[in-house]
Amino acid sequence: MFFLVLTGIVLPFGFIDAGGSNSFTIAYVFFLLIVASYILDGWYRNTIIAVIILAFIGVHTYAHYFPERIPVLDPGSFFVDQLIQVPIVLFLSFLVVRYFADAYYQTNRRLMQLAHFDELTGLLNRRNFNDILQKQFESGNYNGHLIMLDVDNFKMINDKEGHLAGDDGLKHLGAILRRHFDNGKNMISRWGGDEFIVVYFGESGHVETVLEQVKTEFKDYVKNIEPMVDLSFGIAPLQGCQTPNDVLAKADEVMYEKKREKKNS
């Protein structure tokens, strides 16, 4: 309704009262078109844009055929009119452009977040992790260890409590891993599903102790949901591996060997 009143009444009246074609109507119309296109949608936006264009055509047609009805501003009044209108139009245009720029920045930031991080846990996603690990090998830094973790019997949580409970469990495990390993050097990734990977750049003798703490904290969390749920992990040094796939395969092999030992015990 506001835009209909503005374009159907205020705009024509302002055009005529401000001296017709000598006014800054074109700037105002351009500004209105930008605002209407961005903040409105659907048929209402199309209607408003059509009304703005028709009103603009109508007032200029009126000024062409009835020029005697358009008041002529004296130079002093026109100068004052310019001093008021031009800064207003420029300032409003700046606000609109700034708003678009901020929206564009936030959208790009969100897209970058989705492209590089797992939406559920906030950890590195698999694709981004693969790229970083590949660069790690290319740099020649083999001082770290790759840790692969998998939630045993995770499906029991989904079957018993639903997928939201399962998602909460994965988020909680991600938070535990971040608390123990996120020191600015290590890399933590949700590999996929209920699998996580950490590239650890600390003392090798210390990592087993930390992982047991992670396992204990996670089991304390899920024991009231499903006591059969556990955490298995495998550790493989980057040293001696030629490619990311080599170290992933070694860690995976160690992890599944531990899984088999659990089943046989």
Side-chain angles (χ1 to χ4, degrees):
M1 188 66 182
F2 169 76
F3 280 97
L4 287 175
V5 172
L6 188 64
T7 56
I9 299 176
V10 177
L11 182 62
F13 177 79
F15 173 82
I16 295 172
D17 188 63
S21 299
N22 292 323
S23 67
F24 295 96
T25 310
I26 294 178
Y28 289 128
V29 169
F30 180 70
F31 175 73
L32 282 173
L33 285 173
I34 293 176
V35 174
S37 298
Y38 192 76
I39 69 175
L40 304 177
D41 54 23
W43 66 269
Y44 186 60
R45 177 180 60 188
N46 296 335
T47 301
I48 293 299
I49 291 176
V51 170
I52 292 173
I53 295 174
L54 290 174
F56 181 76
I57 294 174
V59 293
H60 276 274
T61 302
Y62 180 84
H64 177 76
Y65 286 104
F66 304 101
E68 70 281 358
R69 298 182 183 179
I70 305 296
V72 178
L73 296 180
D74 61 83
S77 298
F78 185 69
F79 176 69
V80 173
D81 191 44
Q82 284 182 315
L83 290 180
I84 296 174
Q85 294 187 44
V86 171
I88 290 176
V89 171
L90 291 177
F91 179 70
L92 292 177
S93 299
F94 164 75
L95 291 180
V96 171
V97 172
R98 177 65 181 271
Y99 187 81
F100 290 162
D102 289 344
Y104 178 78
Y105 171 77
Q106 292 298 332
T107 299
N108 275 353
R109 186 177 180 181
R110 176 61 176 163
L111 290 175
M112 288 292 291
Q113 182 76 16
L114 292 174
H116 293 87
F117 296 92
D118 176 58
E119 188 173 8
L120 181 65
T121 63
L123 303 175
L124 297 173
N125 62 24
R126 181 168 181 165
R127 180 175 182 178
N128 191 25
F129 177 82
N130 286 344
D131 291 341
I132 296 175
L133 186 60
Q134 179 64 43
K135 291 176 182 177
Q136 188 71 32
F137 271 85
E138 292 173 357
S139 70
N141 184 1
Y142 301 104
N143 296 323
H145 289 73
L146 187 140
I147 307 164
M148 182 172 287
L149 303 99
D150 182 75
V151 181
D152 301 326
N153 303 315
F154 176 73
K155 188 173 182 295
M156 289 183 176
I157 299 179
N158 289 334
D159 293 343
K160 185 177 180 179
E161 300 293 337
H163 286 83
L164 290 179
D167 288 348
D168 288 341
L170 295 176
K171 287 191 286 187
H172 192 78
L173 177 55
I176 295 173
L177 291 173
R178 189 181 287 111
R179 185 163 60 249
H180 286 282
F181 290 104
D182 191 7
N183 62 358
K185 297 180 181 179
N186 304 321
M187 295 184 292
I188 314 170
S189 168
R190 184 186 176 195
W191 184 244
D194 57 354
E195 292 182 317
F196 294 77
I197 288 183
V198 178
V199 176
Y200 174 75
F201 292 101
E203 297 180 7
S204 58
H206 181 61
V207 66
E208 290 271 1
T209 303
V210 176
L211 287 171
E212 288 298 332
Q213 293 175 354
V214 170
K215 183 176 179 178
T216 299
E217 290 180 26
F218 182 67
K219 290 188 69 175
D220 286 342
Y221 172 80
V222 298
K223 65 183 179 182
N224 294 326
I225 303 173
E226 176 50 65
M228 294 294 293
V229 173
D230 197 359
L231 192 64
S232 295
F233 56 85
I235 307 172
L238 273 63
Q239 187 71 38
C241 297
Q242 300 298 317
T243 67
N245 287 338
D246 292 341
V247 70
L248 287 167
K250 286 186 178 181
D252 189 61
E253 182 181 353
V254 173
M255 183 182 69
Y256 275 95
E257 179 60 33
K258 289 186 177 182
K259 284 179 176 287
R260 285 190 289 268
E261 290 175 0
K262 287 181 184 179
K263 290 182 180 180
N264 296 330
S265 61

